[in-house]
Amino acid sequence: MLVSIIRCFSYNLIMKEILGNVIYGQSGGPTSIINTSAYYLFKECFNKLENKIKIYAMKYGIEGLLEENIIEVKDNDNLNKLLVSPGAYFGSNRYKLKDDDLNVFNKILETFKKYNIRYFFYNGGNDSMDTINKISTYFKKVNYECYCIGINKTIDNDLLHTDFSLGYASASKFIINTILEIYADDKSYKVGRINIIETMGRNAGWLAASSKLCSLKGDIVDFILIPEKYVDLEDFLIKISEVYKRKKHCIICVSEGIKNLKGEFIFENDLMLDKFGHNQLGGVSIKLCELIKNRFNIKTRYYELSLLQRANSMYLSKIEEQVAKDLSIYALNAALNKENNKMVVINRLPNTNRNNYKYDFSLVPIKEVSNKERYLDEKFILKNKYDVDESFIDYLLPLVDGEGGLLDILK
């Protein structure tokens, strides 16, 4: 399949002055594409700046910075390994900066001054953008010249203003292929199971919605449950029973953050909080499995994809890899042109179609992104069904290009 890509960079870089060194950090949940962003940022630094500056990476993000756990990245390092390494190669973290903790901000400032860091790139999601915003705001207050740029990343696809978040396409491709494989296994038998596949997604249903693409291969996914649409459990159980009686097979894709009619998480561990104060989710597929077994005594299995979907290196999206490369180059040019406290967003161009993703980039103030969430678009949510609209296929299909997996048989 031929794919046409528009690479649009609005900056004509004229380097009259290079202020200082570059530092890069990773934050939040790792993805299968985050190290690709790092690789192309480093390579562009070496290509454009010709060893005139030093390039550093934080070990374990802001936590590593506060401990001065910093490494220098050199051009002769074996950087190609970043392109085949899932997870956060330089170490991630979920450290939340407190507005009134001046000791922490002073420590960050001291470290930046010590290493003469004037360009700061942080690769993360909503909470990571909050970190950039707070650091950049503090630097402005103390009159320290440093240009801070956010490189977007999150498999949840819940960052505002960007067409998609880096990591989402590859995670979706993994989910789709996993479901197709489960379906192929179950259809091997005349009488199959009820299969429940649980994806990540606390408040946004983008990952679960990706299962809609399985419909391109037939009547495969029977129900898609997302956090944006509350679930009437009694009604849902009846519908499951009806489908199973008719098909002798059933596949359900469910977000970890689905809610009941009262707006409460169906499964939530109040005793386990992350560092940003979020209750930890996961396990809703187990609860649904128990409900179905107890009610209907039907053979049921659950699959909690958990970290597998974000550690995926088998079904990478080739389009996403290309976008990650171009976005990192754009981010460096933005910083060198003295853009500050901005995140790079991906814009889908109007002539995109199912087989042809076209895009360019722009910048948005980080304060418009940090600590905010983008929910599944209303146009994709069906009011009277546990499903998503067919139009979602047009949104996602151009992003999941590449080789490998049952999905590519569709194209």
Side-chain angles (χ1 to χ4, degrees):
M1 186 190 71
L2 296 177
V3 178
S4 173
I5 298 177
I6 298 292
R7 300 178 184 88
C8 178
F9 305 106
S10 62
Y11 295 107
N12 295 315
L13 182 63
I14 302 175
M15 290 186 298
K16 295 182 180 179
E17 178 187 15
I18 300 173
L19 294 176
N21 298 321
V22 168
I23 196 165
Y24 166 85
Q26 298 176 327
S27 180
T31 76
S32 57
I33 210 76
I34 189 171
N35 297 321
T36 301
S37 296
Y39 173 85
Y40 286 110
L41 178 70
F42 297 150
K43 294 300 288 186
E44 188 68 6
C45 284
F46 296 131
N47 292 339
K48 187 166 261 105
L49 304 179
E50 299 176 346
N51 296 318
K52 294 177 182 177
I53 66 169
K54 291 184 177 181
I55 302 167
Y56 298 103
M58 307 171 190
K59 292 288 290 180
Y60 306 107
I62 292 299
E63 282 187 281
L65 180 70
L66 292 171
E67 297 167 357
E68 212 169 314
N69 190 356
I70 295 169
I71 60 172
E72 184 177 352
V73 180
K74 297 184 178 180
D75 199 7
N76 58 3
D77 290 344
N78 182 21
L79 295 179
N80 287 336
K81 60 191 172 187
L82 293 173
L83 296 175
V84 293
S85 300
Y89 184 82
F90 295 99
S92 189
N93 75 114
R94 294 190 183 276
Y95 188 93
K96 185 172 180 63
L97 292 173
K98 298 179 181 178
D99 293 312
D100 58 352
D101 197 342
L102 294 181
N103 290 332
V104 169
F105 287 102
N106 287 334
K107 173 61 179 175
I108 293 172
L109 178 61
E110 289 172 8
T111 304
F112 271 50
K113 286 181 175 179
K114 178 178 179 179
Y115 290 88
N116 191 26
I117 294 165
R118 300 289 180 166
Y119 306 100
F120 170 37
F121 300 91
Y122 213 34
N123 205 167
N126 321 67
D127 294 324
S128 305
M129 296 305 137
D130 176 62
T131 297
I132 301 173
N133 186 46
K134 288 176 178 175
I135 290 174
S136 179
T137 300
Y138 178 75
F139 283 167
K140 184 177 181 180
K141 182 178 179 180
V142 298
N143 201 29
Y144 181 76
E145 189 172 3
C146 181
Y147 299 96
C148 308
I149 299 292
I151 298 176
N152 83 61
K153 175 276 320 170
T154 176
I155 68 166
D156 292 327
N157 203 36
D158 61 353
L159 284 168
L160 288 173
H161 303 299
T162 188
D163 181 58
F164 75 99
S165 302
L166 291 174
Y168 171 66
S170 293
S172 291
K173 191 170 182 181
F174 175 83
I175 291 166
I176 296 162
N177 278 288
T178 298
I179 292 173
L180 291 174
E181 290 164 355
I182 292 170
Y183 173 78
D185 180 274
D186 200 53
K187 287 293 287 184
S188 300
Y189 301 93
K190 184 177 180 180
V191 177
R193 305 174 297 266
I194 295 176
N195 298 280
I196 306 170
I197 297 96
E198 178 182 341
T199 71
M200 289 181 175
R202 165 179 289 273
N203 295 314
W206 295 96
L207 286 168
S210 67
S211 64
K212 184 67 177 180
L213 268 67
C214 294
S215 67
L216 295 175
K217 284 186 67 67
D219 184 18
I220 294 175
V221 178
D222 300 291
F223 302 100
I224 301 173
L225 304 184
I226 55 176
E228 292 88 346
K229 181 178 173 62
Y230 292 174
V231 178
D232 181 336
L233 282 177
E234 284 302 315
D235 175 67
F236 181 55
L237 289 171
I238 292 170
K239 285 182 167 57
I240 292 172
S241 176
E242 291 171 349
V243 166
Y244 188 78
K245 285 179 182 178
R246 174 170 52 87
K247 296 174 62 177
K248 301 302 180 186
H249 303 272
C250 183
I251 288 185
I252 304 164
C253 187
V254 53
S255 294
E256 65 181 352
I258 59 168
K259 302 176 180 70
N260 60 26
L261 292 178
K262 296 180 180 179
E264 301 166 338
F265 288 119
I266 290 177
F267 181 90
E268 182 175 26
N269 190 335
D270 296 326
L271 302 178
M272 297 179 66
L273 304 179
D274 65 19
K275 292 187 177 180
F276 286 88
H278 305 313
N279 290 337
Q280 293 190 9
L281 301 179
V284 68
S285 56
I286 301 174
K287 185 163 186 176
L288 286 176
C289 188
E290 291 173 349
L291 284 173
I292 294 167
K293 282 183 178 180
N294 292 337
R295 179 70 63 90
F296 303 113
N297 195 28
I298 298 172
K299 189 175 182 180
T300 307
R301 285 191 178 176
Y302 64 88
Y303 307 82
E304 186 180 347
L305 300 185
S306 189
L307 304 185
L308 295 175
Q309 60 208 300
R310 73 185 194 193
N312 158 45
S313 60
M314 296 180 289
Y315 302 124
L316 296 180
S317 161
K318 299 299 180 184
I319 287 293
E320 185 168 57
E321 290 181 296
Q322 183 64 52
V323 174
K325 172 184 176 180
D326 291 344
L327 190 148
S328 288
I329 294 171
Y330 187 95
L332 178 63
N333 288 340
L336 293 175
N337 278 274
K338 299 187 176 182
E339 294 284 359
N340 188 28
N341 207 12
K342 305 282 180 65
M343 186 186 82
V344 184
V345 297
I346 306 159
N347 306 306
R348 180 180 300 222
L349 298 182
N351 50 348
T352 288
N353 58 49
R354 287 189 175 193
N355 298 312
N356 193 340
Y357 186 65
K358 296 184 178 181
Y359 60 91
D360 63 15
F361 303 109
S362 57
L363 299 168
V364 297
I366 283 183
K367 65 181 180 180
E368 295 183 9
V369 180
S370 63
N371 294 322
K372 297 179 175 65
E373 289 179 293
R374 174 194 181 193
Y375 306 113
L376 189 68
D377 293 353
E378 286 189 12
K379 64 183 179 181
F380 299 139
I381 301 171
L382 296 176
K383 293 182 179 180
N384 300 320
K385 293 183 179 181
Y386 298 112
D387 196 356
V388 296
D389 191 77
E390 289 285 333
S391 62
F392 186 81
I393 296 173
D394 292 321
Y395 167 76
L396 182 57
L397 192 56
L399 302 178
V400 291
D401 182 34
E403 299 176 359
L406 296 172
L407 174 66
D408 289 302
I409 298 173
L410 304 174
K411 310 186 83 173

